[in-house]
């Protein structure tokens, strides 16, 4: 969406604000798919949560003794303390908000924001003048509005693009105020070489006075490639660490993670510490060479330079944006690429009354409104320091040959990364003589330096990946960009593993553990799973209660703290699940053999065993190291068949190989008892205020030989998945209380902050105006309203999906933290689960955080050494685990998108019903029900559409599409579009590799179909 003008002490508006952007190429239409975890086990064993605030480094003031006293006085996982051995469990657990493993993303309002204080009258007046001036400029023809194509595929330059004649007028008008700015028209084509060499004039960034201690730019920053002397700096020098530290303490500066809009890379944001609207960074210069995800320090600009948000203009500027993507929830830092749609709609509908917009396909428009649009103001800022370069500085992209230059131009696929000058010596040997041979070749480049006087970074080519559009080159590019280590494990690392194979448990180790090998213990996993890290057991006791056990692979036995294996695992922090393969955190000998709880094999485990009533009340619990022998490897399908047909007698041929010591009937009875208890636990969780936000997730069937996608379907979350999930949640909560009780300053826990209040309030008001009965008072109220107020017809599930997508945007990411780093125990809470303490214990094969938790648990039980890490070390490791989990999640999403793009190309076009999720003035977003993907449909691109009319009924946005009719007796067909409208769409492959678009199918020849 086009940003509105900011009032500045300059004679001309900021770059790119003179009119609508030209439509972007298909290459920029990044339609992201929902995250699809190839290993379905994580969907049931690890609940996803949404959240993004890392734990602070503040030391705690409460001592260990006080905490132990408090811990021992409380009695339930769901209460604000620890359970006693006989404590009941009413509503004790809660849900899993699917954002860690599923694609929920905490997003921020992109183009709206409230200024908490009143602005000076003269600033407001000036803002109105500039906005009115811009309205007039927007009517000029497109040929006078050139897109700046410098920085990325469209540009990373800082040039302005308003017509020259109007520029002179504006300059003349404001010269009397003593304010003027130089402005250059955007250039491309013939002028590309000049810009590539860095010789294009650009607007100079305003300089901030810095002390002598300020960080100095390298000599390269001041050199000119053409040798003609110094050039003007485009970027400011960074402040010194001393000045930054002092500014943060005084509250003059703000620190946060940078999020760059992937659709409009000149727009960036950092979160406001007070939970208010995000701080807006306008243009490349304001970002000061920081990249997406970097932790930066920002100085707030004066109020007269804040962003004025005109509701109507916000609406109308959306037309030229790229199709929406599914939620990232991972944000790529915290940015919800899809989230702008509803937020813009909310802004539109909350501040305007009775407006109607009629638009023809040539883009002409008329807008009438019953009342004048309101304006709000969003704080703006600029980066003065980069605290941490979270971005890998690597990108995949293409090479462009530049005649008479000793370097080539690298253009990243991700337009948030600048173009990069790379030495010709890094390029293929015949690149200069045959550059056309490499037009479709994908390369990896790493930025090494970004001079302060250039729009272009400098870097080195790392390697040639192969042809764009092919799965393996694209996959390697994704892994490299997100800094995923997919290299083979070194000999030093492999030397840490047992060398004598086959390995057997030493007799001395057996004597130290509880022997559970004769118990009926089994695994439930996807049929193709090879890393089996958890098992379950359940037997009925003579008093009618049940002994239920969760048994987790004892990875910490094999991974000794501090050795080479431990170091590589701590850096990788997580396994990465792609559609076609897994990048393991640990060597496969551990993942698939020594630690995997394979059937009919003795394995070392860490167990949590409870005595439970049939209602799920915890009567007692036991933690300890154990040894098991799984009697059978059940798949989710096997367990589901037992649940759905409890009276059926299964034959040996219908199930995998089973231990002769346990009958199939005994195993089936255990599964059914676990299912019944899980239903009780689940009911208690949601009655106790838990929340679960599910979104549609894609799964693929692959050709065994080629690896290409043969089929695609929406993954079904069934009772067998829920069974496993409930007991994994219960074990994680139990262990969280145990390690916090023992190590109140050192425990590695997981918290989920509540959703951002401003975004919740905006969404609540929007739902009220739309007539949607949603209660955001608490996590439990939200869950109940999503499951009770949407009807019971065949499309109730689709309506829930649409609302779930809206509700996931204000949610924050769940994060690991060290308990000693936060002073206030209220901050420990997990919003979605609605519990005071939570951690991850159940997946140590694929999550390093779980390995640390195992070590803490062992130390607390005196069956292992004390953790060698201090509080600060745990805090740093928690932060790294958060970063790697976010990157892993994003890579999984991109892998799913990659395969779906190939599937559409190979098997498309694909037809499906879709439900409208959001309506803008020239486009609308739909949820494609058959495949669970979200796409934006642009009215201007619809073949056979005569015209369209955007209007509002009260606060409800609607659009009337007017189609040409095949019936000669009818002039046209009308189709009304609003939220929850069902439409038919077709997914088609685009010209660009791996890209596809959604096309609305014309309705049949009857009115208002």
């Amino acid at each position: 969406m086009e940003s509105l003008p900011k009032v500045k002490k300059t004679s001309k508006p900021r770059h790119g604000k003179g009119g609508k952007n030209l439509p972007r190429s298909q290459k920029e239409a990044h339609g992201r798919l929902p995250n699809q975890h190839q290993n379905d086990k994580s969907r049931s064993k690890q609940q996803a949560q949404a959240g993004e605030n890392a734990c602070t480094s503040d030391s705690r003031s409460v001592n260990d003794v006080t905490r132990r006293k408090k811990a021992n006085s409380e009695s339930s996982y769901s209460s604000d303390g620890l359970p006693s051995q006989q404590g009941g469990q009413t509503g004790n657990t809660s849900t899993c908000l699917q954002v860690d493993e599923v694609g929920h993303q905490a997003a921020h309002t992109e183009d709206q924001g409230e200024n908490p204080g009143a602005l000076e009258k003269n600033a407001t007046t000036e803002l109105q003048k500039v906005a009115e001036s811009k309205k007039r400029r927007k009517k000029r023809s497109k040929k006078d509005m050139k897109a700046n194509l410098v920085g990325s595929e469209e540009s990373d330059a800082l040039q302005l693009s308003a017509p020259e004649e109007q520029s002179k007028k504006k300059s003349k008008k404001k010269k009397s105020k003593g304010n003027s700015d130089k402005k250059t028209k955007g250039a491309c084509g013939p002028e590309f070489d000049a810009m590539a060499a860095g010789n294009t004039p650009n607007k100079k960034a305003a300089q901030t006075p810095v002390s002598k201690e300020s960080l100095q730019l390298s000599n390269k920053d001041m050199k000119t490639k053409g040798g003609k002397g110094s050039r003007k700096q485009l970027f400011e020098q960074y402040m010194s660490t001393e000045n930054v530290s002092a500014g943060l303490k005084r509250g003059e500066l703000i620190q946060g993670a940078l999020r760059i809009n992937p659709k409009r890379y000149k727009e960036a944001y950092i979160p406001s510490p007070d939970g208010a609207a995000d701080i807006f960074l306008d243009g490349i210069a304001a970002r000061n060479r920081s990249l997406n995800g970097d932790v930066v320090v920002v100085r707030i600009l004066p109020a007269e330079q804040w962003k004025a948000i005109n509701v109507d203009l916000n609406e109308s500027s959306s037309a030229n944006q790229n199709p929406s993507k599914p939620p990232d929830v991972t944000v790529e830092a915290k940015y919800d690429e899809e989230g702008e749609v509803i937020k813009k709609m909310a802004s539109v509908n909350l501040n305007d009354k009775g407006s109607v917009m009629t638009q023809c396909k040539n883009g002409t428009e008329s807008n009438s409104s019953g009342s004048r649009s309101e304006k709000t103001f969003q704080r703006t800022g600029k980066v003065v320091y980069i605290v941490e370069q979270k971005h890998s500085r690597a990108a995949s992209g293409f090479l462009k040959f530049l005649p008479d230059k000793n370097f080539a131009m690298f253009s990243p696929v991700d337009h948030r990364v600048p173009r990069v000058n790379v030495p010709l010596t890094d390029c293929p040997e015949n690149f200069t003589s045959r550059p056309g041979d490499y037009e479709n070749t994908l390369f990896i480049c790493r930025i090494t330096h970004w001079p302060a006087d250039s729009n272009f970074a400098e870097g080195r080519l790392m390697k040639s990946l192969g042809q764009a559009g092919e799965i393996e080159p694209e996959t390697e590019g994704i892994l490299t960009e997100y800094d995923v280590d997919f290299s083979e494990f070194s000999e030093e690392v492999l030397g840490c593993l047992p060398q004598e194979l086959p390995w057997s448990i030493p007799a001395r180790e057996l004597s130290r553990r509880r022997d559970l090998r004769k118990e009926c213990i089994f695994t439930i996993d996807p049929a193709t799973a090879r890393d089996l890290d958890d098992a379950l057991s359940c037997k009925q006791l003579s008093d009618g209660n049940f002994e239920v056990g969760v048994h987790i692979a004892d990875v910490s036995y094999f991974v000794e703290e501090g050795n080479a294996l431990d170091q590589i695992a701590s850096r990788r922090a997580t396994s990465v699940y792609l559609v076609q393969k897994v990048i393991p955190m640990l060597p496969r000998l551990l993942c698939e053999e020594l630690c995997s709880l394979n059937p009919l094999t003795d394995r070392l485990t860490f167990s949590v065993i409870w005595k439970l009533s049939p209602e799920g009340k915890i009567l007692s619990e036991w933690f300890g190291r154990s040894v098991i022998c799984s009697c059978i490897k059940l798949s989710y399908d096997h367990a589901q068949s037992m649940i759905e047909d409890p009276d059926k007698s299964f034959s040996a041929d219908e199930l995998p190989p089973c231990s002769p010591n346990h009958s199939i009937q005994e195993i089936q009875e255990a599964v059914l008892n676990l299912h019944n208890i899980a239903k009780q636990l689940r009911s208690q969780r949601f009655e106790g205020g838990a929340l679960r936000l599910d979104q549609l997730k894609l799964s693929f069937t692959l050709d065994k030989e080629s690896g290409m996608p043969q089929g695609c379907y929406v993954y079904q979350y069934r009772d067998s998945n829920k069974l496993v999930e409930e007991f994994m949640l219960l074990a994680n909560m139990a262990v969280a209380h145990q390690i916090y009780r023992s190590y109140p300053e050192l425990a590695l826990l997981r918290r989920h902050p509540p959703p951002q209040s401003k975004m919740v309030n905006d969404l609540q008001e929007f739902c009220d105006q739309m007539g949607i009965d949603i209660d955001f008072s608490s996590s439990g109220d939200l869950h109940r309203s999503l499951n009770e107020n949407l009807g019971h017809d065949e499309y109730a599930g689709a309506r829930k999906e649409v609302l779930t997508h809206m509700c996931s945007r204000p949610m924050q990411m769940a994060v690991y933290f060290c308990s000693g780093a936060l002073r206030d125990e209220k901050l420990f809470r997990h919003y979605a689960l609605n519990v005071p303490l939570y951690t991850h214990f159940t997946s140590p094969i694929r999550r390093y955080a779980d390995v640390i938790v195992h070590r803490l648990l062992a130390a607390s039980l005196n069956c292992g050494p004390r953790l060698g890490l201090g509080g600060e070390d745990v805090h740093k490791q928690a932060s790294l685990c958060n970063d790697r989990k976010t990157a892993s999640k994003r890579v999984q999403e991109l892998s799913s998108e990659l395969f779906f793009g190939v599937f559409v190309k190979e098997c498309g076009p694909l037809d499906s019903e879709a439900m409208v999720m959001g309506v803008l003035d020239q486009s609308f977003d739909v949820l494609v029900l058959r495949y669970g993907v979200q796409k934006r449909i642009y009215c201007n691109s619809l073949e056979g559409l005569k015209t369209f009319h955007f209007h509002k009924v009260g606060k409800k946005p609607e659009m009337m599409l007017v189609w040409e009719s095949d019936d000669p007796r009818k002039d046209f067909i009308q189709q009304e579009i609003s939220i929850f409208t069902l439409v038919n769409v077709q997914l088609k492959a685009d010209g660009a590799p791996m890209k596809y678009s959604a096309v609305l199918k014309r309705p049949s020849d009857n009115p208002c179909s």
Side-chain angles (χ1 to χ4, degrees):
M1 186 173 79
E2 184 179 57
S3 301
L4 293 180
K6 290 88 180 157
V7 172
K8 299 178 61 181
K9 294 182 180 179
T10 61
S11 61
K12 299 177 183 179
R14 296 174 73 89
H15 63 282
K17 306 298 179 187
K20 294 181 181 178
N21 295 329
L22 295 177
R24 299 191 179 191
S25 66
Q26 290 293 338
K27 280 189 177 182
E28 280 194 272
H30 294 291
R32 300 300 188 202
L33 300 179
N35 174 36
Q36 171 61 32
H37 204 301
Q38 175 68 10
N39 185 346
D40 295 334
K41 175 165 61 174
S42 64
R43 294 195 182 93
S44 12
K45 297 177 184 174
Q46 184 183 21
Q47 55 298 338
Q49 304 92 8
E52 178 155 42
N53 295 329
C55 57
T56 67
S57 58
D58 296 333
S59 61
R60 299 179 57 83
S61 59
V62 182
N63 60 40
D64 290 9
V65 176
T66 304
R67 290 187 177 178
R68 289 193 182 96
K69 286 181 180 179
K70 179 175 180 180
N72 293 328
S73 68
E74 298 169 348
S75 61
S76 171
Y77 298 153
S78 60
S79 68
D80 291 328
L82 305 172
S84 66
Q85 293 295 332
Q86 302 297 327
Q89 188 179 14
T90 57
N92 60 325
T93 53
S94 129
T95 188
C96 66
L97 174 68
Q98 294 289 51
V99 172
D100 282 334
E101 313 300 335
V102 184
H104 295 177
Q105 187 164 338
H108 291 263
T109 304
E110 304 256 328
D111 293 313
Q112 65 182 18
E114 299 285 348
N115 177 15
L119 298 177
E120 284 107 353
K121 187 174 181 180
N122 61 342
T124 304
T125 304
E126 189 68 6
L127 282 166
Q128 291 170 346
K129 287 180 181 178
V130 177
E132 289 168 0
S133 172
K134 177 171 182 180
K135 255 186 176 180
R136 292 193 298 269
R137 291 200 305 275
K138 288 179 68 177
K139 295 180 181 178
R140 299 183 67 91
S141 65
K142 287 187 178 179
K143 70 179 181 179
D144 290 328
M145 292 184 281
K146 291 186 177 180
N148 178 6
L149 302 177
V150 179
S152 174
E153 187 67 25
E154 276 198 22
S155 149
D156 266 5
L158 306 174
Q159 300 162 332
L160 304 178
S161 57
E164 186 175 350
E165 183 179 347
Q166 187 161 351
S167 297
K168 292 178 181 178
K169 273 187 183 177
K170 295 280 289 180
S171 178
K172 190 173 181 180
K173 183 177 178 180
K174 291 196 176 182
K175 270 184 181 177
S176 59
K177 297 182 181 180
N179 298 320
S180 64
D181 242 355
K182 289 186 179 179
K183 178 175 174 184
T184 315
K185 284 189 177 182
C188 61
E191 299 179 61
F192 176 83
D193 289 347
M195 291 189 295
N199 296 326
T200 304
N202 291 280
K203 184 174 72 173
K204 182 178 178 181
Q207 299 296 311
T208 301
V210 294
S211 67
K212 292 180 180 179
E213 301 94 304
S214 295
L215 296 177
Q216 299 298 316
L217 299 173
S218 68
N219 292 333
K220 284 186 179 181
D221 292 347
M222 305 309 296
K223 289 181 180 178
T224 303
K225 289 184 176 67
K228 295 183 179 180
S230 298
R231 298 184 303 185
K232 292 182 179 179
Q233 282 194 183
L234 303 177
F235 302 103
E236 292 188 10
Q237 289 184 329
Y238 297 126
M239 294 177 64
S240 68
T241 53
E242 294 82 0
N243 290 345
V244 167
S245 179
L248 289 171
K249 288 179 181 178
R250 291 192 299 264
E252 297 170 355
L253 304 175
I254 294 176
Q255 180 174 317
L258 182 74
R259 305 183 332 275
I260 303 174
N261 188 334
K263 297 177 185 144
R264 295 180 301 282
Y265 56 85
K266 290 185 180 180
E267 298 179 3
Y269 305 84
I270 69 162
S272 176
D274 58 4
D278 293 339
I279 297 158
F280 178 58
L281 280 68
D282 186 13
I284 312 299
R287 294 208 299 267
N288 202 358
R289 295 164 287 172
S290 55
L291 298 183
N292 190 67
D294 287 353
V295 178
V296 298
V297 174
V298 167
R299 184 190 299 281
I300 302 298
L301 296 176
E304 58 267 22
Q305 296 183 38
W306 291 0
K307 181 181 181 182
I309 301 174
N310 181 304
V311 172
D312 288 329
L313 289 178
N314 266 342
E315 275 185 342
S316 63
S317 66
S318 64
N320 291 330
Q321 303 313 318
N322 293 324
S324 56
K325 304 176 187 179
D328 230 357
V329 234
T330 171
V331 198
E332 226 178 19
K334 241 172 91 169
Y335 177 69
D336 183 352
E337 302 166 79
E338 172 69 19
E340 63 177 315
V341 182
I342 296 302
K343 284 173 204 148
K344 288 178 186 175
M345 281 177 22
S347 175
V348 166
N349 291 295
L350 298 181
N351 294 316
D352 223 358
K353 295 181 181 178
S355 71
V356 178
M357 179 174 289
T358 301
Q359 185 144 0
C360 300
K361 291 195 69 179
N362 61 8
T364 60
E365 63 184 45
S366 64
N367 189 18
S368 60
S369 178
S371 66
R372 192 171 181 177
S373 300
E374 297 179 12
K375 288 183 180 178
T376 57
F377 299 92
Q378 184 174 19
R379 289 180 296 171
T380 58
K382 59 183 178 182
V383 172
V384 296
Y385 190 77
I386 300 177
V387 178
E388 185 176 359
Q389 291 185 349
K390 295 280 190 179
H391 192 282
S392 67
R393 266 57 185 174
S396 60
F398 302 92
L399 279 181
K400 179 179 176 64
F401 177 64
L402 304 177
D404 303 321
K405 297 290 187 295
N406 61 354
F407 57 88
M409 176 63 66
F410 175 81
S411 297
V413 173
D414 184 349
H415 306 297
R416 294 169 296 181
V417 180
R419 287 185 174 184
V420 186
N421 293 332
V422 297
L424 284 177
T425 53
D426 285 0
C427 301
E429 188 175 349
N430 63 342
F431 174 71
T432 55
S433 59
R434 300 178 61 88
D437 293 354
Y438 298 92
E439 285 182 354
N440 198 44
T441 301
L442 203 60
F443 292 89
I444 281 286
C445 175
R446 188 177 296 276
I447 293 174
T448 57
H449 178 59
W450 192 347
D453 61 354
S454 176
N455 291 316
F456 303 93
E458 297 172 359
R460 303 296 301 269
L461 281 187
M462 298 173 65
K463 66 181 298 187
S464 169
L465 296 175
Q467 291 300 296
E470 295 181 0
I471 287 178
E472 287 309 314
E474 297 279 358
T475 297
E476 186 174 345
I478 292 169
L479 293 172
T480 305
E481 285 183 41
Y482 285 87
D483 208 19
V484 175
D485 183 357
F486 56 95
S487 62
E488 296 295 328
F489 291 96
S490 68
E491 290 298 323
E492 182 185 11
V493 169
L494 297 177
C496 299
L497 302 175
Q499 301 300 303
E500 295 183 8
L501 300 175
W503 178 83
S504 59
I505 301 172
R508 185 179 178 188
E509 188 61 33
L510 277 175
S511 65
R512 296 173 177 173
R513 294 173 178 260
R514 183 170 173 175
D515 194 342
L516 303 173
R517 288 177 290 178
K518 293 182 180 180
E519 300 293 331
C520 179
I521 298 175
F522 49 87
T523 60
I524 304 177
D525 290 280
T528 57
R530 293 183 292 181
D531 52 347
L532 314 180
D533 51 12
D534 58 84
L536 294 166
S537 62
C538 180
K539 66 180 178 181
Q540 190 162 15
L541 304 175
S542 58
D543 59 2
N545 295 314
F546 294 89
E547 183 180 274
V548 176
V550 170
H551 314 278
I552 307 300
D554 191 358
V555 175
S556 61
Y557 172 83
F558 295 96
V559 182
E560 181 182 342
E561 186 173 5
N563 68 9
L565 175 59
D566 184 49
Q567 290 172 11
I568 189 67
S570 69
R571 289 197 298 271
R572 293 193 176 195
T574 181
S575 294
V576 180
Y577 290 82
L578 308 173
V579 171
Q580 77 276 33
K581 60 185 176 182
V582 179
I583 310 299
M585 180 182 77
L586 296 168
R588 296 193 183 277
L589 178 61
L590 280 185
C591 295
E592 299 173 10
E593 295 293 335
L594 303 183
C595 290
S596 184
L597 306 183
N598 298 327
L600 311 179
T601 309
D602 293 352
R603 285 292 179 255
L604 300 178
T605 50
F606 232 130
S607 297
V608 184
I609 300 175
W610 301 274
K611 183 178 180 180
L612 299 177
S613 71
E615 296 75 32
K617 181 180 180 181
I618 298 177
L619 305 176
S620 66
E621 66 182 8
W622 177 87
F623 304 90
R625 281 187 144 141
S626 56
V627 57
I628 70 166
C629 182
S630 172
C631 62
I632 191 171
K633 177 191 174 184
L634 295 176
S635 70
Y636 284 121
D637 290 334
H638 295 138
Q640 188 66 29
S641 298
M642 294 178 179
I643 292 170
E644 291 177 352
D645 196 353
D647 298 326
K648 178 180 177 179
S649 295
F650 288 84
S651 65
D653 294 337
E654 295 177 275
L655 297 174
C658 179
S659 168
N661 299 324
H662 302 282
S663 67
I664 293 176
Q665 183 179 357
E666 180 185 4
I667 295 169
Q668 184 178 6
E669 183 179 348
V671 170
L672 292 174
N673 286 333
L674 286 171
H675 170 61
N676 291 330
I677 296 172
K679 286 195 298 184
Q680 295 290 333
L681 292 173
R682 190 176 182 85
S683 176
Q684 291 171 21
R685 290 198 299 109
F686 292 123
E687 288 175 5
L691 168 67
R692 183 185 182 94
L693 295 180
D694 283 322
Q695 287 188 311
L696 301 178
K697 299 169 285 292
L698 277 174
S699 290
F700 297 89
T701 54
L702 305 180
D703 183 272
K704 292 183 179 179
E705 294 183 0
S706 67
M708 297 289 283
Q710 286 183 319
C712 176
Y713 58 94
V714 175
Y715 181 81
Q716 296 298 313
Y717 188 75
R718 301 177 295 176
D719 286 340
S720 56
N721 302 84
K722 296 174 185 177
L723 181 160
V724 175
E725 179 188 60
E726 288 305 316
F727 292 104
M728 298 304 111
L729 285 169
L730 197 63
N732 285 335
M733 288 185 284
V735 171
H737 285 268
Q738 171 65 21
I739 64 174
Y740 182 59
R741 180 165 50 225
S742 301
Y743 300 106
E745 298 290 333
L746 203 59
L748 179 61
L749 303 175
R750 189 163 178 81
R751 67 189 182 95
H752 179 206
Q756 301 170 75
S757 57
K758 184 183 185 304
M759 295 178 68
V760 168
N761 293 338
D762 290 343
L763 185 54
Q764 177 74 75
E765 188 175 355
F766 175 71
C767 289
D768 291 344
Q769 298 292 346
M770 292 290 298
I772 303 170
D773 185 12
I774 298 291
D775 186 354
F776 291 91
S777 302
S778 68
S779 55
D781 292 329
L782 177 56
H783 180 84
R784 280 187 287 274
S785 57
L786 283 173
N787 287 275
E788 296 174 2
N789 301 336
L790 298 175
H792 302 284
D793 60 281
E794 61 177 315
Y795 293 107
R799 288 193 291 273
K800 181 182 176 183
E801 289 293 336
V802 170
L803 279 176
T804 295
H805 187 80
M806 294 182 191
C807 294
S808 68
R809 294 187 188 118
M811 300 298 168
Q812 301 194 69
M813 290 288 293
V815 291
Y816 299 110
F817 71 103
C818 177
S819 58
L822 292 179
R823 286 195 175 93
D824 189 355
E825 284 188 358
K826 292 179 181 178
L827 298 176
F828 290 17
R829 288 195 67 86
H830 196 291
Y831 172 80
L833 293 173
N834 194 32
V835 294
L837 294 176
Y838 189 69
T839 194
H840 277 166
F841 161 75
T842 54
S843 296
I845 289 178
R846 61 186 178 90
R847 291 188 308 226
Y848 188 74
D850 300 50
V851 176
I852 294 180
V853 168
H854 276 230
R855 290 169 180 164
L856 286 166
L857 180 60
S860 74
L861 301 171
N862 296 317
C863 60
R866 184 178 175 87
L867 188 69
L869 302 178
E872 183 62 26
D873 298 320
V874 174
H875 171 67
K876 289 179 179 178
Q877 185 63 54
S879 179
L880 177 61
C881 288
N882 291 329
D883 292 341
R884 297 320 306 157
K885 188 173 184 66
T886 298
S888 169
K889 189 170 173 318
R890 185 64 182 138
V891 166
Q892 292 166 25
E893 292 169 356
L894 293 174
S895 176
S896 181
E897 176 190 350
L898 173 63
F899 273 78
F900 190 66
V902 172
F903 180 71
V904 172
K905 180 181 178 182
E906 297 296 323
C907 304
L910 307 175
D911 294 332
S912 173
E913 279 189 306
M915 184 170 279
V916 175
M917 306 176 66
V919 182
L920 295 172
D921 66 321
Q922 300 180 50
S923 61
F924 54 95
D925 286 357
V926 296
L927 173 67
V928 182
L929 300 181
R930 186 176 176 186
Y931 301 106
V933 299
Q934 297 107 26
K935 297 296 287 183
R936 180 169 292 179
I937 294 176
Y938 294 91
C939 297
N940 283 326
S941 65
L942 295 178
E943 187 175 347
L945 187 69
K946 293 179 65 175
T947 186
F948 55 93
H949 312 278
F950 175 83
H951 62 281
K952 280 179 273 185
V953 179
K955 302 287 185 178
K956 183 180 180 182
E958 293 183 350
M959 182 179 289
M960 183 65 71
L961 305 181
V962 182
W963 298 85
E964 297 173 354
S965 175
D966 292 333
D967 188 342
R969 295 169 299 177
K970 298 179 181 179
D971 293 333
F972 56 84
I973 307 170
Q974 290 186 329
Q975 182 180 24
E976 186 175 294
I977 300 294
S978 62
I979 292 180
F980 299 138
T981 297
L982 278 170
V983 295
N984 290 305
V985 299
Q986 187 173 80
L987 302 180
K988 296 172 128 181
D990 289 343
M994 306 300 183
K995 303 301 179 185
Y996 67 97
S997 58
V999 178
L1000 182 67
K1001 299 179 76 173
R1002 187 170 66 170
S1004 57
D1005 281 295
N1006 47 59
C1008 302
S1009 61

